[in-house]
Each structure stands twice: as structure tokens, then as C-alpha cells.
Amino acid sequence: MTKLMIYGATGYTGRMAAEHAKAAGTPLVLAGRSRESLSRLAAELGVEYRVFSLDDPAAIHDSLAGVLVLINCAGPFTRTAEALMKASIRSGVHYLDTAAELVSYRLAESLDDQAKAAGIMLMPGGGGSVAMLGSLAGHAVAKVRAPRKIRIALHVAGAFSRGSAISAMENVTTEVLARIGGRLVGVAADGIWKFDFGQGTVDCFPVTLPDLITIWRSTGVPDVETFVHVPGDGFPQGDLCLLADGPGEEDRLANRYQAAVEVTDAEGQVTRSLLDTVNGYTFTAMAAAEAGRRVLAGEVRPGFQTPAGLFGSGFAQTIADTTIVDV
């Protein structure tokens, strides 16, 4: 059991994660439902592949033979996370994914005891904004003596991938959540907050991000609010199935991501920090591959874990040229 499997390896993010994993020398198995596309990518990378769907638990179990770590890159995760998390626990395989939907994180919470009993780790968000924002929040919280509230925002730049646009649309809710007093509660959807990502303040809208779960778990701060700023034309319109797989390399190079955090202490003093990194899709693939490599190498803690909680708040800064500064 020494291999890393990437399920959904021929998708936009899965392919990039597979390329990074291969480049790092990680023992790799590609997996998914399409034999034709898998065989082609496996031949390009010179690695093994396995074909299976998620409607047959026995087939999933058999396909996980010899695998120690699974990264699920097959969204929408409302359709894939449950089958693969439960199969991972049964098969003794550590589970990671790249989900931005709350469902993966609530599921991991509900399966925490089972995973601990099996000695298996569940880490939804091993790559992506959860790794970014968790590192940024952890960095800022470490500088505050008695943190009470975290407000954190992600600045999304460039085009959306087809998969993330469809996932986001399927998970749109009329209720916006925040964590108050340690509990998830509904808040006003019009609670705009201004953040400065390095070029002056801009309006950011409250959104329900999985960081409401992960930042709370890794920092213990009782109040957490999450925001997003999407410039330009914003979320894509029309038939999302007609979108391209995702932004090309030129688009990604031209559109870096930023995140900003404000941590308020018990006396009302505010500490601010800013993260700057590569395009979010590039970061997600690189961070997922690196998290998988580290877990395969033995950096593991059973149960529901977060990237910042397991690897430390410096994890994001190990990815590409990510920086965190205090402002």
C-alpha cells in the first residue's frame, strides 16, 4: 500500500494534480469512469490506471487495492464524496479532495469517529481555497493573544472552470451562514464588508465557504465570517455546460489570487494579514498533489483533519510563490 490514487484524473484539476504528482516522483494511479481518456493520460504520464464508477461499493473496494492515499478531484462533490469517503474508511485508505462545497466537510465531521476507529484520515480541501485561507487565518491568529473573531475574504480572479461553475451552481443556497459562538447560524446576505487585497478597499460579499468549518476546527476561534470578491463580469452566465474545461495557462498566469484576513481580539483590536498566490486552479492542483505526497510519506492523523491543522499554517507558503504579509 504505497500508491497515491487520483480519482477524476482526466478532469481539469485532476489532470494538473496528476502532472504535479508525477513530476514529484509520487507513486501514482489514475482513476475515473472513462477508460479512453484515462488510458490516454496514463500513457502520457507512464503510470497505471483503473476504471470504476461509484455505484458499486465492491468495485470501489477492489479498485483501491494497493492504494494508501486517495485524492478525489471528481466534482460536483455532492455526487462523489460520500461514496469515496465511506469506501476509503472501509478499505483503509486516507481520503483527500479538492472540494469547495460544504457537503464534503459536513460529511467528514459526521464520519470523524468512524475514521478515527479505522485509523484513517479524512481531509476534504487538501488543495484549494481551504488550504489558502486556513494558512492565512492560522498565521494571523498566531499573532493575537486572545482572538475572538475572524473575517476572511478570497479575491477570485480570471475565468471559472466548467466543473467549479457547475458545482457552485448546484450548491447555491438562499441562506448565508457564519460561525457565531462556535455555531453555524444564518446571517444577512447583504452584509457587505470592505477588504484591501493590496490595491485599495473593495466590496466583498458574505458567502458560505467550507472555511467556516475548517478555520474553526484549526484555530478554535468562535466567530468566523467568510467573504468573496469576484471582479469583472463575475459568475459565468448561460449554459454552464458550454464553458471550457478551465482557464488556459496564459489566463492563469495573468490572474493571481489574493486573500485578506482580519482577526479581532478580546479588546476589539484588529490584526490584518494578506496572502498573494498563483491562480487558484494552479494552486489547487499543486497543493493537492503536495498534500497527497506528504500523507503518503506518513504525515497523517486519523479522523477529520484540515491542511493547516495537520501541516501547519505555513503550508500554503510551500506552494509555488505564495506569500503572507502583515498589513
Side-chain angles (χ1 to χ4, degrees):
M1 295 178 64
T2 58
K3 294 182 179 179
L4 169 70
M5 174 180 282
I6 298 179
Y7 190 82
T10 59
Y12 179 69
T13 298
R15 172 182 281 270
M16 288 195 292
E19 290 170 347
H20 286 298
K22 173 65 177 179
T26 306
L28 187 61
V29 181
L30 309 183
R33 294 175 299 176
S34 171
R35 182 176 300 277
E36 181 180 355
S37 56
L38 276 171
S39 62
R40 187 162 53 247
L41 180 58
E44 289 176 17
L45 297 180
V47 299
E48 178 188 353
Y49 73 93
R50 301 176 189 177
V51 182
F52 61 97
S53 64
L54 303 183
D55 53 5
D56 183 349
I60 301 173
H61 177 78
D62 291 344
S63 298
L64 290 174
V67 171
L68 181 60
V69 182
L70 168 68
I71 302 177
N72 178 15
C73 292
F77 294 90
T78 50
R79 306 177 190 175
T80 64
E82 183 171 8
L84 287 174
M85 271 195 206
K86 290 181 176 179
S88 294
I89 293 173
R90 289 192 302 269
S91 302
V93 174
H94 301 301
Y95 173 94
L96 294 79
D97 69 28
T98 57
E101 301 101 314
L102 210 61
V103 62
S104 275
Y105 303 83
R106 283 180 156 160
L107 181 60
E109 281 187 314
S110 71
L111 295 174
D112 185 39
D113 287 341
Q114 290 183 42
K116 286 177 179 175
I120 294 308
M121 186 174 72
L122 304 175
M123 186 188 283
S129 63
V130 163
M132 286 184 207
L133 300 188
S135 292
L136 177 61
H139 170 91
V141 164
K143 297 181 175 296
V144 178
R145 183 164 177 264
R148 291 291 182 268
K149 172 178 265 187
I150 296 171
R151 287 190 176 103
I152 195 162
L154 180 66
H155 179 195
V156 177
F160 282 76
S161 74
R162 180 172 62 244
S164 59
I166 292 173
S167 290
M169 185 58 67
E170 289 191 1
N171 285 273
V172 168
T173 61
T174 56
E175 183 180 40
V176 175
L177 299 178
R179 191 169 289 276
I180 300 176
R183 297 176 57 248
L184 287 176
V185 299
V187 296
D190 59 355
I192 295 173
W193 197 258
K194 290 186 178 293
F195 287 86
D196 187 345
F197 296 102
Q199 295 184 339
T201 59
V202 293
D203 289 343
C204 296
F205 294 87
V207 291
T208 302
L209 294 180
D211 309 271
L212 294 170
I213 293 175
T214 55
I215 287 176
W216 174 67
R217 288 184 72 91
S218 61
T219 67
V221 176
D223 293 1
V224 183
E225 298 176 9
T226 53
F227 300 81
V228 69
H229 177 70
V230 182
D233 295 331
F235 194 81
Q237 304 297 313
D239 187 349
L240 301 180
C241 292
L242 299 179
L243 291 174
D245 279 354
E249 183 177 6
E250 184 176 343
D251 188 304
R252 295 197 306 272
L253 289 172
N255 289 284
R256 295 176 65 85
Y257 273 33
Q258 289 82 37
V261 67
E262 299 179 353
V263 180
T264 305
D265 67 15
E267 298 179 352
Q269 297 296 312
V270 179
T271 296
R272 296 179 174 86
S273 299
L274 177 68
L275 176 147
D276 180 81
T277 190
V278 292
N279 183 267
Y281 291 105
T282 301
F283 182 95
T284 296
M286 294 180 71
E290 175 62 6
R293 184 195 67 79
R294 291 175 67 162
V295 173
L296 193 65
E299 292 186 57
V300 173
R301 190 182 302 135
F304 175 23
Q305 305 297 332
T306 70
L310 182 69
F311 302 130
S313 58
F315 177 63
Q317 291 165 284
T318 69
I319 308 303
D321 58 342
T322 303
T323 59
I324 296 177
V325 297
D326 301 317
V327 294

